[in-house]
Amino acid sequence: MIETSEFADIPTTTLADLLGRDQVMDIGIRPLWGPVPRVAGPAFTVRCPPGDNLMLHAAIHRAPAGSVVVVESGDLDHALAGGNVCAVAQRRGIAGFVADGLIRDLAEVREAGFPVFARGVIPIPGAKKAVAPLGGRVRCAGVLVEAGDVVVADEEGVVAVPVARRSDVLAAARARLAKEAAETLDAWEAAHRARIDEILAEAGFEG
């Protein structure tokens, strides 16, 4: 079995090239402080209805160390978590949060160095009433995520690697990065210009 920690040195740009748009979360999900370290780990999935954060608060006591907590919410009126929730998650070894929603206490989260990728901040918390199963399929920022999918997040964005494809994707990503590392800028420039000029010529461009 491939350890998901092996994805920690794979940029999201490389994964996006391999996986395509469907596995890349929308641009509203951004790191809330920086420079943020790259986060990579198996998804621990959570669903919170708008206005309620109960199941994320439950998840921090249940998600295994090394996991990335991925939250479906879409709520832009209430915070899903605050400083203490993030601090407990960090203390328990959770790698970070990827949340389709908001948090609060950003200064505390930033000072602690806990990675949170979300839509922003708001000072008002949500309620704690809605009970829902943990570990189901969620849709986070337009991407369907299953529990155990490899989530990689960095300053470029967030990508979900389907668990069934992780070995193949990891091998392809490493091969691509090795090829890029061996190529000089001069060689890249020459190949790039030749490819662009060929496309232009085929389209009838003159200039």
Side-chain angles (χ1 to χ4, degrees):
M1 179 178 290
I2 301 295
E3 293 292 334
T4 53
S5 60
E6 294 189 50
F7 281 81
D9 62 347
I10 308 294
T12 56
T13 48
T14 300
L15 295 172
D17 287 346
L18 294 169
L19 290 166
R21 181 67 186 86
D22 287 348
Q23 298 305 123
V24 179
M25 294 188 187
D26 73 49
I27 64 169
I29 305 297
R30 308 299 301 168
L32 296 188
W33 56 268
V36 68
R38 180 174 298 120
V39 170
F44 186 89
T45 52
V46 180
R47 183 177 291 110
C48 291
D52 198 283
N53 61 27
L54 175 63
M55 295 318 297
L56 175 55
H57 287 237
I60 65 169
H61 302 291
R62 292 162 174 80
S67 61
V68 177
V69 174
V70 178
V71 187
E72 175 183 324
S73 172
D75 184 9
L76 298 180
D77 292 312
H78 306 86
L80 288 163
N84 285 343
V85 168
C86 292
V88 171
Q90 184 178 41
R91 184 162 65 180
R92 296 198 63 254
I94 292 169
F97 288 170
V98 172
D100 195 343
L102 312 173
I103 70 160
R104 68 179 192 167
D105 302 327
L106 179 58
E108 294 177 29
V109 176
R110 180 174 56 238
E111 184 176 358
F114 183 68
V116 176
F117 297 77
R119 294 198 181 275
V121 296
I122 197 168
I124 187 167
K128 295 172 181 60
K129 297 179 180 179
V131 177
L134 294 169
R137 175 187 288 185
V138 299
R139 182 177 291 277
C140 185
V143 176
L144 287 174
V145 181
E146 303 274 3
D149 286 352
V150 183
V151 176
V152 182
D154 60 22
E155 63 185 4
E156 300 283 349
V158 184
V159 179
V161 181
V163 64
R165 300 178 59 190
R166 66 182 186 177
S167 296
D168 291 343
V169 170
L170 180 61
R174 291 206 180 284
R176 180 180 287 246
L177 290 171
K179 180 180 177 182
E180 291 173 355
E183 185 177 45
T184 67
L185 180 58
D186 288 343
W188 183 92
E189 180 182 8
H192 178 263
R193 178 162 187 172
R195 181 167 62 90
I196 296 301
D197 286 349
E198 181 180 1
I199 295 169
L200 292 173
E202 289 176 353
F205 177 81
E206 296 180 2

